[in-house]
Amino acid sequence: MSLEIWTYSIVGLSFLLYIGIAIWSKAGTTKEFYVAGGGVNPIVNGMATAADWMSAASFLSMAGLISFMGYGGAQYLMGWTGGYVLLALLLAPYLRKFGKFTVPDFIGDRYYSKESRLIALICAIFVSFTYVVGQMKGVGVAFARFLNVPFDTGVLIGIGIVFFYAVLGGMKGITYTQVAQFCVLIFAFTVPAIFISIQMTGNPIPQVGFGGTVDGGAYLLDKLDQLSTDLGFDLYTATDPGNTVNLFFITAALMLGTAGLPHVIVRFFTVPRVRDARLSAGYALLFIAILYTTAPAVAAFARTNLLTTVKNADYSEMPVWFKNWENTGLISFDDKNNDGRIRYVADAQNNELTIDRDIIVLANPEIANLPAWVIALVVAGGLAAALSTAAGLLLVISTSISHDLLKKHIAPDINEKGELRAARLAIAIAVIAAGLAGLNPPGFVAQVVALAFGLAASSFFPAIILGIFDKRMNKQGANSGMVIGILFTTVYIIYFKPQLGGPGTAEGYWFGIAPEGIGTLGALINFVIAIVVSRMTPPPPGEVQELTESIRYPRG
């Protein structure tokens, strides 16, 4: 069968599966819509959490960034992996024991204040919306290649798909859909990696093949280093001593942001017991590790094949995959010297080839000339990764508006049917807004997601950690810390991101910290402000201090 038939068949079947699950598990109550009824099995929840966590940034963009950045891209790998460990150990079981639907619920009750809840829900909407913009770009990239349409058209199609199953199913539908999406995305990521590892190194295990030898006896990474330097790029494996500060701050921001992401935290409210929250966190970490240990190998394989293919190649003889990606607008060739040959070099003045880093994983099996069904499978996996996380994020936006804002502030007497209708309407509006913003995102998918993590790190993480482990933390301290932390981070990001209209440039970064890493400094500012203010104001009521103790220690 042709590639088009394979792609339509595999993607079509996967979407029928998702839609069928969404209809089968349609939420009928607010508890089912918000936390899937609270009775999800830990293994099932672990798979759903992994799918929720492994977004388009993990599936599409992380390997793409590593393939272009080399060693420097490890900050994304370390930050996201370490952050999940932090979340599993320090937050998940305690928040599940608290037993609320949402992060604003926890903050509102722990800090005995409607103002705290309001600040938290504004932060949740802000963080989730920034994150979902990155997912919509990933959806656009995958649909653009799948349907051979421009990127903008791909995003608009993605809006329609997410709209359907997120609005219909709520958390119950999303949970079981994400289990199916995890199976699709992990299969789609590892199968091509195994094929290419055998093809290039003779080893079927990508993690081992990554350090193996290629034709001629040279090590894969040595060959990649040579290809990179021949074109004027840095050594692929080179460290950057001048970037140590940025490496630390971006890694830390991703770690702290992970532990403060509301769409991941809410997954631990869907299991019956605290013990199940711990178990599902462990299962999720195991499932996540499959993709995260494979990503560096995929990055190296893809970069080697790409450089080998385009190095001083005749444009008229480029393979079909190159022309297909040109049609999407995500690869462009500008023949500056009119010689008909591609000059892909580090020097921007002489470079003639522009490649969007987010296409690397999707294009990888085509570049390696793998079977059509493998190429189609990767497209289905990319869509599964982007759509699974987009749905989880949109649900956070929905619950923040319908449950935390409408039910807790504006209309406390609203009935369950009205609240459910408001939740679905909020998702619908958020899908459209995020899709439109995804048409012109402020960076590659992983960079946009990193900005969202920085916002979560500077707002939620300190408030949640101090709310669990510091009995003396009061509403004045938490509120001050959250507001100042997220405001500082937001202003810095806007100022130094030209795509957002800011006038700043990289030369003006504070201490050399890029916008993707400023959330670490924002979190430190949050901690300091919260602790200082809490010590200068009255302590929380006795019952709140007892509640804090009960979260951490079992009764009886």
Side-chain angles (χ1 to χ4, degrees):
M1 289 195 295
S2 67
L3 174 59
E4 287 73 18
I5 294 175
W6 272 115
T7 305
Y8 278 99
S9 300
I10 293 178
V11 174
L13 286 172
S14 67
F15 272 78
L16 284 175
L17 176 62
Y18 306 153
I19 291 169
I21 292 172
I23 294 171
W24 166 73
S25 56
K26 180 180 178 181
T29 65
T30 52
K31 188 173 183 182
E32 287 183 338
F33 193 90
Y34 294 145
V35 291
V40 179
N41 181 276
I43 296 179
V44 172
N45 195 52
M47 296 177 78
T49 304
D52 213 350
W53 173 237
M54 292 188 293
S55 64
S58 294
F59 190 97
L60 296 178
S61 198
M62 183 173 64
L65 281 177
I66 295 172
S67 72
F68 280 80
M69 297 173 66
Y71 176 84
Q75 59 202 12
Y76 291 92
L77 191 68
M78 294 187 296
W80 282 325
T81 308
Y84 189 82
V85 176
L86 196 65
L87 171 65
L89 294 177
L90 290 184
L91 300 185
Y94 305 113
L95 290 173
R96 176 61 189 85
K97 188 173 182 182
F98 197 83
K100 292 294 180 180
F101 281 167
T102 66
V103 173
D105 250 354
F106 167 79
I107 289 177
D109 286 7
R110 167 59 182 85
Y111 295 115
Y112 51 97
S113 165
K114 286 188 174 182
E115 291 76 19
S116 299
R117 184 190 303 275
L118 187 60
I119 292 168
L121 77 88
I122 291 171
C123 291
I125 293 171
F126 200 30
V127 170
S128 299
F129 186 80
T130 305
Y131 200 161
V132 83
V133 167
Q135 305 315 301
M136 295 312 291
K137 193 213 169 178
V139 171
V141 171
F143 270 119
R145 177 63 192 93
F146 158 42
L147 298 174
N148 237 353
V149 296
F151 165 72
D152 292 0
T153 306
V155 172
L156 295 176
I157 295 169
I159 290 174
I161 297 294
V162 176
F163 182 93
F164 180 83
Y165 78 84
V167 171
L168 182 67
M171 180 58 86
K172 185 180 179 184
I174 286 170
T175 294
Y176 294 104
T177 302
Q178 284 174 336
V179 172
Q181 287 168 332
F182 168 78
C183 296
V184 171
L185 76 87
I186 207 68
F187 193 62
F189 198 84
T190 53
V191 167
I194 292 169
F195 266 88
I196 298 173
S197 184
I198 294 171
Q199 185 185 81
M200 295 182 70
T201 69
N203 195 307
I205 305 173
Q207 294 87 339
V208 178
F210 178 46
T213 57
V214 293
D215 290 339
Y219 283 102
L220 171 68
L221 292 176
D222 288 340
K223 179 180 178 179
L224 185 48
D225 277 340
Q226 187 62 55
L227 285 168
S228 298
T229 54
D230 286 347
L231 298 174
F233 297 102
D234 293 332
L235 286 171
Y236 184 81
T237 57
T239 59
D240 183 3
N243 194 38
T244 304
V245 170
N246 227 2
L247 185 69
F248 169 79
F249 272 86
I250 292 178
T251 302
L254 296 176
M255 287 184 66
L256 302 182
T258 297
L261 283 178
H263 79 289
V264 177
I265 289 173
V266 75
R267 291 238 56 95
F268 298 105
F269 299 147
T270 65
V271 292
R273 299 179 298 273
V274 176
R275 177 175 177 272
D276 296 327
R278 294 182 186 275
L279 282 173
S280 61
Y283 284 123
L285 190 57
L286 176 64
F287 297 139
I288 288 167
I290 299 171
L291 187 145
Y292 270 59
T293 57
T294 308
V298 170
F301 297 153
R303 185 67 171 170
T304 303
N305 281 332
L306 176 67
L307 293 183
T308 303
T309 303
V310 303
K311 185 178 178 182
N312 199 34
D314 188 320
Y315 175 70
S316 63
E317 297 177 359
M318 289 303 292
V320 175
W321 70 263
F322 187 92
K323 307 293 175 124
N324 288 337
W325 280 104
E326 266 193 308
N327 292 337
T328 69
L330 297 170
I331 285 182
S332 60
F333 170 58
D334 177 16
D335 194 1
K336 294 177 179 177
N337 60 0
N338 296 313
D339 67 348
R341 304 195 74 81
I342 296 174
R343 282 190 302 168
Y344 181 48
V345 293
D347 181 5
Q349 296 296 322
N350 295 313
N351 181 54
E352 298 177 338
L353 185 64
T354 303
I355 303 173
D356 189 307
R357 300 178 185 187
D358 290 334
I359 74 167
I360 289 299
V361 170
L362 288 177
N364 189 29
E366 293 181 87
I367 298 171
N369 201 28
L370 296 187
W373 69 268
V374 179
I375 299 170
L377 182 64
V378 174
V379 175
L383 289 169
L387 294 174
S388 62
T389 303
L393 290 163
L394 290 164
L395 190 68
V396 168
I397 295 173
S398 165
T399 54
S400 296
I401 292 172
S402 62
H403 181 71
D404 296 308
L405 181 61
L406 188 64
K407 177 76 173 176
K408 300 291 185 179
H409 286 272
I410 298 174
D413 296 328
I414 189 172
N415 60 29
E416 188 169 279
K417 189 174 181 180
E419 188 180 349
L420 198 57
R421 189 182 303 115
R424 290 193 165 116
L425 178 62
I427 279 190
I429 294 170
V431 169
I432 295 169
L436 295 176
L439 292 171
N440 187 30
F444 302 110
V445 174
Q447 291 175 319
V448 178
V449 169
L451 298 179
F453 277 63
L455 295 171
S458 62
S459 56
F460 283 130
F461 180 73
I464 296 172
I465 283 291
L466 293 172
I468 293 171
F469 295 100
D470 182 6
K471 289 195 302 181
R472 183 63 176 76
M473 183 51 56
N474 59 15
K475 63 182 179 182
Q476 293 90 341
N479 293 352
S480 302
M482 282 192 292
V483 170
I484 294 173
I486 198 166
L487 280 178
F488 165 77
T489 305
T490 303
V491 170
Y492 190 94
I493 288 171
I494 291 174
Y495 185 82
F496 286 111
K497 272 289 179 184
Q499 298 95 324
L500 297 174
T505 61
E507 288 73 25
Y509 288 167
W510 288 14
F511 314 111
I513 305 171
E516 290 80 9
I518 199 62
T520 301
L521 186 56
L524 292 174
I525 292 172
N526 186 334
F527 271 116
V528 171
I529 294 291
I531 292 170
V532 170
V533 170
S534 70
R535 269 49 179 183
M536 296 173 62
T537 49
E543 62 269 19
V544 172
Q545 296 192 45
E546 290 179 12
L547 175 64
T548 307
E549 283 281 329
S550 71
I551 294 173
R552 287 182 284 128
Y553 300 108
R555 294 183 182 276

